[in-house]
Amino acid sequence: VALKRMLNFNVPPVKNSTGEPVWKVLIYDRFGQDIISPLLSVKELRDMGITLHLLLHSDRDAIPDVPAVYFVMPTEENIDRMCQDLRNQLYESYYLNFISAISRSKLEDIANAAIGANAVTQVAKVFDQYLNFITLEDDMFVLCNQNKELVSYRAINRPDITDTEMETIMDTIVDSLFCFFVTLGAIPIIRCSRGTAAEMVAVKLDKKLRENLRDARNSLFTGDALGAGQFSFQRPLLVLVDRNIDLATPLHHTWTYQALVHDVLDFHLNRVNLEESAGTESTPAGARPKKKNKKSYDLTTSDKFWQKHKGSPFPEVAESVQQELESYRAQEDEVKRLKSIMGIEGEDEGAISMLSDNTAKLTSAVSSLPELLEKKRLIDLHTNVATAVLEHIKSRKLDVYFEYEEKIMSKSTLDKSLLDMISDPD
């Protein structure tokens, strides 16, 4: 909702407006790209009037009669580039949206550039969007994707980490959490374990929320935020846990479809990238081996099969794909059968009555065609993904691995000692 509002020049989109959308250009940086890509497809962007979407630091041509919506992090080099755009008079008007809050000094830099370029009137709106987090599912968010090595478990627990680096990491995490709660329009009750990094984040976040609430006129949580969060008595509970408390879980590999895709395939921001296996046809001797095609699939909330089966054990998923395929084939055969009846020769009574029955059937079959095609696409997609997972399982004996892992976790007896297994070359 927040993104759509932003793309609509920060005005909530009108439900029943039949008019054409305003055509505009979207300029984002890598951070903005990561936030938008799991949520809005190119088609949805097109529906909202985005004709072009370009990276801020790519070479862009001037399009003088089009408004541009910027969605970027307020970093030094991004600000410099935006000032350069103003000087080059690239677009008709500029809507500047910052992923997290921009500092006063950087705002002044933009203002100076605008005055210098005589483009003050063209900067239509400047907004802090507070959207510095990535939504992967309706109820799952990650804080960052670009430079994610900077805020990782390893980064916090490096032995040679300096205080200033730790502060930076904590500030990054706090900023993202703060953005999340601003977008949610609610002030959380924070709980954390003492004496850990989680406590440090909690204290900083608490301070940031309090500072924001102190100035009642400019608070982000009052007025027309997405929901008037301040006055609702249902405050969400934010539990901050330090990974050190539970180190076993990340070392445990589960046998569900989603976990396997995440563990063995290149799965990133809800998109899985596969290398298509070069077919079985033999290449003639001396010929260059066929180049493997890369394919990418989006596994999003709109994918019904994924929603239904991502938490199922992998063998069940394989069966479900098979069932879906069979039901699809049955429907397809039905359409073919109806087609052949339609080409009836001869005018005998029986055929005529069959025809009138089947006309209704065919009409419904035709209207369900788009649904059938979508079903076919999903079956193909999951057949490919599941096959890729299966190849990994076979080549790496992951089923055996999983079985041993379960046995160790449940403390049941193993047929050979742990050290023997680790030193066993097979």
Side-chain angles (χ1 to χ4, degrees):
V1 172
L3 279 177
K4 284 187 170 168
R5 191 168 69 177
M6 175 191 86
L7 295 175
N8 203 31
F9 304 128
N10 290 299
V11 187
V14 186
K15 282 276 167 22
N16 47 12
S17 62
T18 47
E20 283 276 287
V22 182
W23 299 112
K24 47 197 170 281
V25 186
L26 172 64
I27 313 287
Y28 46 49
D29 60 358
R30 292 262 175 235
F31 291 95
Q33 186 179 22
D34 288 345
I35 293 168
I36 293 173
S37 67
L39 290 171
L40 298 170
S41 64
V42 175
K43 180 185 174 302
E44 287 172 293
L45 288 176
R46 182 65 41 81
D47 292 344
M48 300 196 63
I50 304 289
T51 47
L52 268 180
H53 39 96
L54 306 159
L55 279 165
L56 179 66
H57 291 283
S58 57
D59 295 327
R60 291 173 280 119
D61 299 325
I63 312 177
D65 48 356
V66 172
V69 176
Y70 284 76
F71 184 52
V72 295
M73 279 299 237
T75 57
E76 284 291 330
E77 59 269 60
N78 283 354
I79 303 274
D80 290 349
R81 186 62 194 256
M82 288 159 93
C83 295
Q84 195 182 321
D85 287 358
L86 287 171
R87 285 188 211 103
N88 297 345
Q89 304 272 325
L90 286 190
Y91 306 107
E92 175 195 50
S93 57
Y94 303 84
Y95 292 80
L96 310 180
N97 297 284
F98 296 102
I99 297 173
S100 67
I102 181 172
S103 65
R104 168 113 201 172
S105 61
K106 287 180 180 158
L107 260 180
E108 286 169 1
D109 294 347
I110 297 181
N112 286 334
I115 292 167
N118 202 1
V120 179
T121 47
Q122 291 167 301
V123 179
K125 287 182 181 175
V126 180
F127 266 84
D128 286 335
Q129 286 294 345
Y130 292 102
L131 290 176
N132 189 12
F133 57 94
I134 298 173
T135 308
L136 295 181
E137 293 170 22
D138 289 350
D139 43 18
M140 168 148 142
F141 310 91
V142 290
L143 295 191
C144 79
N145 178 35
Q146 299 297 323
N147 331 353
K148 63 177 168 203
E149 301 314 309
L150 295 178
V151 283
S152 61
Y153 177 74
R154 181 180 165 273
I156 296 176
N157 292 285
R158 282 204 338 261
D160 57 346
I161 187 165
T162 62
D163 283 357
T164 46
E165 285 175 313
M166 190 69 164
E167 286 287 328
T168 315
I169 294 173
M170 293 298 141
D171 288 341
T172 312
I173 295 174
V174 168
D175 182 58
S176 293
L177 286 173
F178 183 71
C179 289
F180 173 76
F181 284 107
V182 172
T183 305
L184 195 64
I187 297 164
I189 296 166
I190 308 175
R191 293 280 176 268
C192 65
S193 47
R194 292 205 176 282
T196 58
E199 185 180 21
M200 207 167 157
V201 171
V203 171
K204 274 181 180 287
L205 181 60
D206 177 67
K207 188 172 160 213
K208 195 161 182 166
L209 287 165
R210 282 176 199 281
E211 275 170 10
N212 185 266
L213 289 172
R214 190 172 299 139
D215 181 359
R217 283 173 317 179
N218 290 331
S219 171
L220 294 161
F221 295 96
T222 52
D224 69 334
L226 294 178
Q230 197 188 16
F231 304 110
S232 74
F233 293 103
Q234 292 290 328
R235 284 171 60 191
L237 178 66
L238 171 66
V239 182
L240 292 166
V241 186
D242 195 303
R243 186 78 268 176
N244 287 343
I245 290 173
D246 172 27
L247 268 177
T249 311
L251 301 175
H252 173 225
H253 301 83
T254 42
W255 196 232
T256 60
Y257 190 28
Q258 188 176 23
L260 278 167
V261 169
H262 191 277
D263 279 340
V264 302
L265 302 179
D266 173 14
F267 185 55
H268 201 56
L269 291 180
N270 289 350
R271 170 168 290 185
V272 61
N273 295 311
L274 294 180
E275 274 195 359
E276 288 198 319
S277 47
T280 45
E281 67 263 20
S282 55
T283 40
R288 185 182 294 172
K290 281 210 170 86
K291 210 174 139 206
K292 286 189 172 180
N293 286 341
K294 276 219 170 250
K295 279 219 142 166
S296 64
Y297 303 108
D298 288 325
L299 301 175
T300 55
T301 41
S302 56
D303 180 336
K304 294 201 178 68
F305 187 89
W306 177 245
Q307 285 305 89
K308 192 171 165 191
H309 295 291
K310 64 185 177 189
S312 315
F314 188 68
E316 278 180 30
V317 174
E319 278 173 35
S320 306
V321 173
Q322 193 56 40
Q323 284 165 5
E324 292 276 318
L325 190 60
E326 279 161 16
S327 81
Y328 167 75
R329 285 200 177 128
Q331 276 171 293
E332 201 180 36
D333 292 346
E334 174 70 1
V335 174
K336 281 184 185 152
R337 191 180 67 78
L338 290 170
K339 273 187 185 162
S340 68
I341 290 177
M342 284 314 198
I344 295 173
E345 307 300 310
E347 296 294 310
D348 59 333
E349 290 297 301
I352 300 291
S353 66
M354 264 172 81
L355 194 60
S356 56
D357 284 352
N358 282 312
T359 311
K361 277 190 191 166
L362 190 68
T363 316
S364 77
V366 168
S367 61
S368 68
L369 265 180
E371 206 178 297
L372 261 183
L373 289 171
E374 174 62 9
K375 203 169 181 182
K376 174 89 171 82
R377 187 185 72 80
L378 287 184
I379 292 170
D380 290 349
L381 185 161
H382 287 286
T383 308
N384 290 347
V385 173
T387 312
V389 172
L390 192 63
E391 279 168 12
H392 279 280
I393 292 175
K394 280 181 181 160
S395 65
R396 296 162 62 179
K397 296 193 180 167
L398 293 180
D399 45 348
V400 184
Y401 179 68
F402 168 72
E403 204 177 316
Y404 276 132
E405 212 174 42
E406 286 293 293
K407 279 183 182 168
I408 293 169
M409 299 251 309
S410 60
K411 296 198 168 79
S412 54
T413 49
L414 301 168
D415 40 7
K416 51 185 175 180
S417 78
L418 195 54
L419 275 174
D420 290 349
M421 280 193 308
I422 293 173
S423 52
D424 178 4
D426 293 339

